[in-house]
Amino acid sequence: MVSAVVNTMRNVVGIIGNIISLFLFLSPVPTFVEIVKKGTVEQYSAAPYVATLLNCMVWVLYGLPMVHPHSILVITINGSGTAIEVVYIILFVLYSDKKKRVKVMLVVLVEVIFVALVALLVLTLLHSTKQRSMAVGIICILFNVMMYASPLSVMKLVITTKSVEYMPFFLSLMSLANGVAWTTYAFLPFDQFIAIPNGLGTLLGVAQVILYACYYKSTKRQMAARQGKGQVDLSAVVVSESDSGDSKKIGTAVGGGG
């Protein structure tokens, strides 16, 4: 009876996590609408999308029944994330110059080969789901931790500039909610490989919201002073850059950790 209740709670929390993560995966859509309208990627970087693609593919591998049984909700969201990132990358390739196009395609090829090799080695050399979960889980944690470098750099920038223009509040709030949902999921029952990266993501989300509360007023003062002096409002430029770079990574770093 207790196990049935726990399983039901796990499924409900996992579905909520899927919905929040899906929102985070879709957050760059406005950026790509702008790219398609302009017909060029301009100075946007493909790094967030190829990094998230690799992260999602590894988590899909982790969620497979022969690796970590009873993880269908991990597969659904990261499978969706993989498909979404593939669309982003295709659009990026279509609207970039030859040099960027070749570079992105080579990186994606290396990622696919890497995941295929990991899958082959894990499924052939390791003969229990416990061993396979351990091996793939460690890789998942490493990739998630590396992706947290971006939100940390944005947080440092916020502290240095005393401005949250570089850190959209709604995206930070959704990242926090995503971390809470998947951390809760990881304790029903306990799964350290999901708990560790999403626990870190939750802490980062809390820190981002606290920073926003601390520097919201100073940001308003800076914007008012800048407008009073007749200077160009940089918020539009910052949002544009963040969508393709740091702010996007805030979302996907946590979103991909389901």
Side-chain angles (χ1 to χ4, degrees):
M1 180 65 181
V2 174
S3 61
V5 172
V6 170
N7 189 56
T8 300
M9 291 174 62
R10 177 182 172 90
N11 288 335
V12 170
V13 173
I15 291 170
I16 294 172
N18 268 243
I19 294 171
I20 298 173
S21 295
L22 183 62
F23 168 82
L24 291 172
F25 283 132
L26 293 173
S27 61
V29 167
T31 296
F32 281 92
V33 170
E34 182 181 349
I35 287 173
V36 172
K37 286 182 178 179
K38 291 184 176 180
T40 176
V41 298
E42 297 181 317
Q43 298 303 313
Y44 287 109
S45 171
Y49 315 112
V50 294
T52 305
L53 174 64
L54 177 59
N55 195 55
C56 287
M57 289 193 295
V58 174
W59 277 107
V60 169
L61 177 60
Y62 178 82
L64 293 177
M66 65 284 290
V67 176
H68 193 78
H70 313 299
S71 301
I72 185 64
L73 291 174
V74 174
I75 296 177
T76 55
I77 188 54
N78 287 288
S80 300
T82 299
I84 292 169
E85 298 304 321
V86 166
V87 172
Y88 291 156
I89 291 170
I90 289 173
L91 288 173
F92 194 94
V93 167
L94 289 176
Y95 291 99
S96 61
D97 57 45
K98 184 178 179 180
K99 184 178 179 180
K100 283 186 178 180
R101 187 179 299 124
V102 172
K103 183 178 179 181
V104 171
M105 292 174 69
L106 285 175
V107 171
V108 171
L109 178 61
V110 170
E111 290 183 349
V112 171
I113 292 173
F114 171 77
V115 175
L117 282 174
V118 171
L120 180 64
L121 292 173
V122 167
L123 296 177
T124 55
L125 299 181
L126 304 178
H127 305 292
S128 70
T129 54
K130 184 177 181 180
Q131 291 176 321
R132 293 169 178 173
S133 296
M134 175 71 75
V136 180
I138 291 172
I139 294 173
C140 290
I141 290 176
L142 289 175
F143 282 130
N144 268 105
V145 170
M146 285 190 293
M147 290 184 70
Y148 288 142
S150 176
L152 284 173
S153 65
V154 174
M155 290 164 65
K156 179 182 178 182
L157 188 61
V158 169
I159 294 171
T160 302
T161 61
K162 294 181 170 53
S163 171
V164 293
E165 286 182 88
Y166 305 86
M167 190 175 68
F169 175 74
F170 191 62
L171 191 57
S172 297
L173 185 63
M174 292 302 294
S175 296
L176 171 59
N178 185 69
V180 170
W182 284 110
T183 301
T184 304
Y185 176 89
F187 280 86
L188 299 168
F190 183 66
D191 184 332
Q192 68 268 33
F193 301 114
I194 295 178
I196 292 172
N198 287 286
L200 289 172
T202 299
L203 292 176
L204 283 175
V206 170
Q208 289 167 21
V209 172
I210 291 174
L211 282 178
Y212 198 93
C214 291
Y215 293 112
Y216 175 76
K217 290 184 178 179
S218 63
T219 302
K220 289 294 184 182
R221 287 196 296 268
Q222 288 182 34
M223 293 175 66
R226 197 162 60 225
Q227 291 172 357
K229 293 178 180 179
Q231 295 180 3
V232 177
D233 186 355
L234 298 179
S235 60
V237 177
V238 170
V239 170
S240 175
E241 291 176 348
S242 297
D243 281 344
S244 67
D246 292 332
S247 291
K248 168 63 175 64
K249 293 180 190 176
I250 292 174
T252 57
V254 184

